[in-house]
Amino acid sequence: MAKKHRFDHRDFRVREGEKIQLHKISTTKGKELGKSSNLRKALEEDIQTLQLAQERLYAAQRQSLLIILQGMDASGKDGVIRHVMTGINPQGCRVYSFKAPNSEELQHHFLWRPMRFLPDRSMISLFNRSYYEEVLVVRVHPTFLEPQRLPKYKKLSDLWEQRFREINQFEALLTQHGTSVIKFFLHVSPEEQKHRLLERLKMPEKHWKVNEGDLRERQLWPQYRQAFQEMLSATSKKHAPWYIIPADDKWYARAAIADILAAHLESLEQEFPSVTTETAERYAELAKQLEASD
């Protein structure tokens, strides 16, 4: 029997065609579980559910899962990977971080790049950032388009609309062939991002996380917010939904994401492969022989 989940996932899900206004959506946690200790306990329980569900997914070899994480710098993507995916068998999960495209990738359509990292049947792929950067950071910095040598567009808005359509078609094709697509936008406030970036600058043990480019990008927050809003509205579909996760509280965000993933994997109803009666009888005989051996 599937366990009862703690969050109403509809609170986070972007409905198809919904016009998103991020400034009207809270970045702070809800009251589902109360204090942080309850959130951590819920996370631990959902990780156990994820472990069992992923084992069935891996054994059945019929379906796969693509998880996408997007958000502003310091929104908590790395923490989600570390804490939510900690219980997943590494044989069945791969994590890919998308940075600036290299010279080879620039010679191809932007959706050529993720094709190489999609999950095999029975596998989970998690994209830390993704092909969505091509309608986000590239939109905020249009000069990044120059090395792509694209056909000329009368209006850049035409290019973003085209890419939205191509992404929707791409994800529909994936789901039709057995790959679920679940997408999370970590919604952090400018104030909380400032706090986290200051921690990195002031705490020696976090200096390794410092990227001065994050400080420059922070100045472009309004442009990024507009890009995220249009992306979320245009590409959240029933077959590949976006979930907007309040991310000012890291443990709340991790618990909510784990709960959504656990519910989804359980909904796939994957079962361990069965064997014929003859094979089962043969295994029973082999077990007796093994037990009787020295």
Side-chain angles (χ1 to χ4, degrees):
M1 180 183 297
K3 74 178 185 62
K4 182 179 179 180
H5 295 280
R6 302 167 181 82
F7 297 85
D8 187 340
H9 302 165
R10 294 170 297 182
D11 292 342
F12 309 121
R13 184 167 177 159
V14 178
R15 297 184 299 275
E16 189 165 339
E18 181 180 2
K19 296 300 181 184
I20 295 299
Q21 294 181 288
L22 287 174
H23 69 282
K24 295 183 178 181
I25 299 175
S26 177
T27 61
T28 58
K29 67 178 182 180
K31 299 179 180 179
E32 294 92 336
L33 300 177
K35 56 187 179 181
S36 293
S37 60
N38 293 337
L39 292 170
R40 296 190 189 211
K41 182 180 178 182
L43 176 60
E44 290 173 2
E45 293 175 358
D46 274 322
I47 287 173
Q48 293 177 3
T49 302
L50 281 170
Q51 289 174 332
L52 296 173
Q54 187 242 351
E55 187 177 5
R56 292 194 298 269
L57 178 75
Y58 188 73
Q61 296 190 353
R62 296 182 64 85
Q63 293 183 268
S64 56
L65 173 62
L66 173 62
I67 304 167
I68 292 175
L69 296 179
Q70 293 285 165
M72 290 292 286
D73 301 313
S75 60
K77 298 182 291 297
D78 290 342
V80 167
I81 295 169
R82 184 167 62 253
H83 291 279
V84 175
M85 308 305 290
T86 184
I88 297 295
N89 185 338
Q91 291 187 102
C93 181
R94 302 289 183 269
V95 176
Y96 302 98
S97 295
F98 280 67
K99 301 185 184 299
N102 59 36
S103 57
E104 180 186 18
E105 291 164 342
L106 287 170
Q107 299 302 314
H108 295 272
H109 188 279
F110 76 99
L111 288 174
W112 176 84
R113 186 184 188 191
M115 289 290 289
R116 297 166 293 159
F117 308 120
L118 294 175
D120 299 337
R121 296 212 184 278
S122 80
M123 298 287 289
I124 297 173
S125 285
L126 189 152
F127 289 177
N128 183 1
R129 302 186 187 272
S130 67
Y131 45 88
Y132 278 97
E133 293 296 288
E134 290 295 327
V135 292
L136 294 170
V137 66
V138 176
R139 179 171 180 166
V140 174
H141 297 280
T143 56
F144 291 177
L145 288 169
E146 293 174 7
Q148 298 185 23
R149 301 180 182 275
L150 299 174
K152 291 186 177 180
Y153 289 85
K154 291 184 178 179
K155 298 181 296 181
L156 274 180
S157 60
D158 293 339
L159 174 61
W160 312 134
E161 292 297 326
Q162 176 182 314
R163 287 189 168 181
F164 290 150
R165 289 193 299 271
E166 291 170 343
I167 287 171
N168 289 334
Q169 293 165 357
F170 175 63
E171 292 175 347
L173 183 63
L174 292 180
T175 58
Q176 289 164 13
H177 288 268
T179 297
S180 299
V181 182
I182 305 291
K183 304 173 292 192
F184 298 101
F185 169 65
L186 295 177
H187 186 29
V188 69
S189 67
E191 296 78 16
E192 178 61 21
Q193 189 206 43
K194 177 181 178 179
H195 170 72
R196 295 178 187 179
L197 292 176
L198 280 171
E199 275 191 342
R200 295 179 182 183
L201 291 167
K202 292 182 176 182
M203 299 174 66
E205 66 271 24
K206 294 190 176 184
H207 282 173
W208 66 275
K209 291 185 176 183
V210 172
N211 180 346
E212 293 188 32
D214 294 348
L215 303 179
R216 293 191 295 271
E217 294 302 287
R218 176 178 162 78
Q219 304 306 313
L220 301 172
W221 193 285
Q223 294 93 316
Y224 274 106
R225 182 172 59 192
Q226 182 64 29
F228 275 117
Q229 288 178 164
E230 292 193 25
M231 176 270 288
L232 291 164
S233 295
T235 61
S236 189
K237 302 295 180 181
K238 290 180 180 179
H239 59 267
W242 276 105
Y243 293 89
I244 299 176
I245 306 297
D248 280 3
D249 184 304
K250 296 177 181 179
W251 289 106
Y252 182 87
R254 294 162 187 170
I257 289 173
D259 205 59
I260 292 168
L261 290 176
H264 178 74
L265 280 177
E266 283 190 315
S267 75
L268 297 180
E269 298 183 338
Q270 298 294 285
E271 299 293 341
F272 292 110
S274 59
V275 297
T276 64
T277 302
E278 293 78 7
T279 300
E281 291 173 350
R282 173 62 177 160
Y283 288 171
E285 180 60 32
L286 290 172
K288 291 179 182 179
Q289 294 176 17
L290 184 58
E291 288 172 342
S293 65
D294 294 332

